[in-house]
Amino acid sequence: MYLAAMVAVLAVAVLALSFSDQGKEPPHQSLMDGMDLKVFGNVDGDRYLDEDDMAAIQHLVDTGATVTDSPYADANFDGVIDSSDVDVVRRVIAGEPVTLWHVNHHDVDGDGVTDMEIVSTRYPIESTIALGTGNNLMILYCLGIHDQVKGATYTTSADRGLYGDVYLDESRVVNLGKGMNDIELEGGRAGSSDVIAEEYVTALIANDSALCITNEDQFEAMGVDVVRIPAASADREDMTHAVMLMGLL
């Protein structure tokens, strides 16, 4: 899923990009500073990928702009601004399958500070599993996309008043265990279930803690994109991105 990482450096006024495998020159701008939806292709930095972004990218193509000029116009994250970037946004608007590059919030190094990674996720997500922290489930429930969650970690001590017939009903959502650190994977099975294959799961929604889903590489290897959101953040910008990203994907 991901070929590169963005690490937030809080001691400086801007955030720096670090690319591990692709060898690309990092954008010489703040890391999506002030963007509501931190998704490549969202040129105007608002909360949507829409016709305005298509028009802006097409203008950049016509004028010969480069990723140095406008790094977030590179919707397919290949280092070049061209018609394929316009097509990514067009596909999103049409609801057609496409790969999106976006920010994940993740405490990568375990120092207690949430970093930002650039990762790819297959769009649209039609079937997912989730790390069953209350804040994660709350966001999915409030967005009205909880029916797409086919499996989750949870316990019977969770708030039944809110989740009793949604995430605690095992006829609707497979119980993947009680743990927050990992979801056991073996032979394509999650926990003791075949939910990934049976429900065509393409993503796992997790949070930003370094302690959660430490076996992320295993999910990636079996084709399940791990999307991490700062579901418990009190920062307006982080939470806006989290909610808008979930709604988009």
Side-chain angles (χ1 to χ4, degrees), residues 1-6 17-27 31-32 39-41 67 71-82 84-85 88 99-102 117-120:
M1 170 182 166
Y2 60 88
L3 299 175
M6 283 187 177
L17 284 166
S18 175
F19 293 84
S20 60
D21 296 324
Q22 294 180 320
K24 298 183 178 185
E25 290 296 322
L31 171 60
M32 295 183 170
V39 174
F40 281 73
V67 292
Y72 311 120
D74 184 16
N76 65 356
F77 203 59
D78 67 351
V80 179
I81 299 176
D82 56 21
S84 62
D85 299 307
V88 168
T99 296
L100 288 180
W101 291 86
H102 61 86
E117 303 174 295
I118 297 178
V119 303
S120 66

Side-chain angles (χ1 to χ4, degrees), residues 141-159:
Y141 183 78
C142 290
L143 287 170
I145 55 179
H146 53 279
D147 285 343
Q148 294 170 272
V149 179
K150 307 303 181 180
T153 58
Y154 54 80
T155 70
T156 56
S157 62
D159 185 357

Side-chain angles (χ1 to χ4, degrees), residues 42-125:
N42 184 22
V43 182
D44 57 13
D46 63 6
R47 301 184 178 189
Y48 313 96
L49 284 181
D50 55 20
E51 289 85 354
D52 290 342
D53 296 304
M54 284 184 61
I57 296 172
Q58 186 60 60
H59 175 73
L60 291 168
V61 173
D62 294 341
T63 57
T66 68
V67 292
T68 300
D69 302 319
S70 186
Y72 311 120
D74 184 16
N76 65 356
F77 203 59
D78 67 351
V80 179
I81 299 176
D82 56 21
S83 60
S84 62
D85 299 307
V86 179
D87 190 56
V88 168
V89 180
R90 182 197 65 76
R91 285 176 175 272
V92 170
I93 295 170
E96 298 175 359
V98 70
T99 296
L100 288 180
W101 291 86
H102 61 86
V103 161
N104 258 4
H105 285 83
H106 185 199
D107 179 8
V108 179
D109 52 13
D111 64 355
V113 177
T114 298
D115 308 307
M116 286 193 275
E117 303 174 295
I118 297 178
V119 303
S120 66
T121 299
R122 285 169 291 168
Y123 166 90
I125 297 174

